[in-house]
Amino acid sequence: MAEPDSNPAGVVRVGACQTPEILGDPDAALACIEQFATEGAGSDVDLLLFPECFLQGYLTDEGHVFRYALGLGSPGFAAVLRRLAPIVPTLVFGVIEADNDCYFNTAVVVDRGRLVGRYRKIRLMPGETVFTPGTDTPTFVLQSLRYGINICSDTQFPEPAAQVAAQGATLLLVSAQNMLRRPTATRAKDLHHSMRAERARETGMWLVSADVTGTRDDRIAYGPTSVISPQGDIVAQVPLLTIGMVMADIPAAP
């Protein structure tokens, strides 16, 4: 799919951002969001999607989670919202969330500095025992487009996507983080698309994903950040191992 030109009527323009991995530096993560928002400003992007746990960085050891987790009603998260208030597109990005004595792998929806809602990852990986699984699959409406969210390994299972589709959503946003050990990353780099394409075909939804890229020690993150049609076809993708953004126009309800 070619990069969209002017934003036509009847669609929502979604930008999916393939970012560097940022660990333990929320200020740098917010600067990255601001940079992508600036890049998308000339293309009338309506929504920007970022990777899993993007604000604080995806590490699942207790030290990292306990240090950086934020309550969504906390002064720290209020400061994040104030900083993001000038950004026009709706933002969907990953957060390590604290709520009472529990921690969640969460994606938040933010509109001009206002918290619209959140989704907590349901299908946690074996190494994510520090997190409590989520229990609900909310959907959101932008213009007349209803969408929902899955996070990374949620897409290995049909139920989280099916629960989104059952509410009338036509778009599934997938916030992911696949900084994996090199042998695993090499084996898995084509499996992400096959799993996500299956979810798209099962539900009839568009699927847009965002991931990190780069290297860390013996790990590598290829991506992918892409757009998959309801038929399961990859119609747009940021090249693997490349920082960038892909945009797609998703039809909204009449």
Side-chain angles (χ1 to χ4, degrees):
M1 177 184 290
E3 183 174 300
D5 297 318
S6 60
N7 198 345
V11 302
V12 172
R13 180 159 292 170
V14 177
C17 304
Q18 189 158 287
T19 73
E21 182 185 51
I22 301 171
L23 298 175
D25 193 346
D27 186 69
L30 291 170
C32 186
I33 291 174
E34 291 165 338
Q35 180 180 352
F36 274 105
T38 299
E39 292 174 6
S43 300
D44 296 326
V45 173
D46 299 302
L47 184 149
L48 287 172
L49 174 66
F50 292 87
E52 178 180 16
C53 293
F54 183 66
L55 180 65
Q56 302 104 319
Y58 180 83
L59 291 175
T60 59
D61 65 272
E62 291 185 351
H64 178 82
V65 170
F66 294 171
R67 178 178 179 182
Y68 289 105
L70 284 174
L72 300 187
S74 68
F77 194 70
V80 169
L81 294 177
R82 286 194 298 273
R83 179 161 171 177
L84 297 176
I87 295 177
V88 173
T90 296
L91 302 171
V92 178
F93 59 93
V95 172
I96 298 174
E97 179 194 358
D99 189 3
N100 295 317
D101 294 325
C102 295
Y103 299 89
F104 298 91
N105 183 334
T106 297
V108 293
V109 180
V110 174
D111 180 21
R112 302 193 191 203
R114 179 177 65 91
L115 178 65
V116 175
R118 55 103 184 108
Y119 167 76
R120 292 167 170 171
K121 187 175 183 179
I122 293 173
R123 292 285 193 165
L124 297 172
M125 296 289 286
E128 293 183 303
T129 55
V130 69
F131 295 124
T132 298
T135 57
D136 60 337
T137 51
T139 60
F140 310 91
V141 177
L142 180 57
Q143 299 172 29
S144 56
L145 175 69
R146 183 170 293 277
Y147 65 95
I149 303 168
N150 278 188
I151 298 177
C152 206
S153 56
D154 282 331
T155 59
Q156 295 182 24
F157 306 89
E159 293 84 5
Q163 290 164 9
V164 170
Q167 299 174 66
T170 56
L171 170 64
L172 182 67
L173 301 178
V174 177
S175 183
Q177 211 276 17
N178 284 293
M179 180 66 75
L180 304 171
R181 298 189 187 281
R182 286 178 180 268
T184 303
T186 300
R187 290 195 304 270
K189 68 179 181 179
D190 296 322
L191 295 177
H192 303 304
H193 273 149
S194 62
M195 287 186 299
R196 293 170 189 172
E198 189 172 359
R199 303 289 86 83
R201 287 190 295 266
E202 288 169 351
T203 61
M205 292 189 290
W206 288 86
L207 189 152
V208 178
S209 63
D211 209 324
V212 300
T213 193
T215 61
R216 169 169 43 97
D217 301 329
D218 63 341
R219 296 174 180 265
I220 187 168
Y222 290 103
T225 294
S226 58
V227 179
I228 299 176
S229 75
Q231 294 75 40
D233 299 320
I234 302 165
V235 297
Q237 180 178 344
V238 179
L240 298 181
L241 294 175
T242 302
I243 295 169
M245 176 169 56
V246 66
M247 290 181 286
D249 291 339
I250 308 299

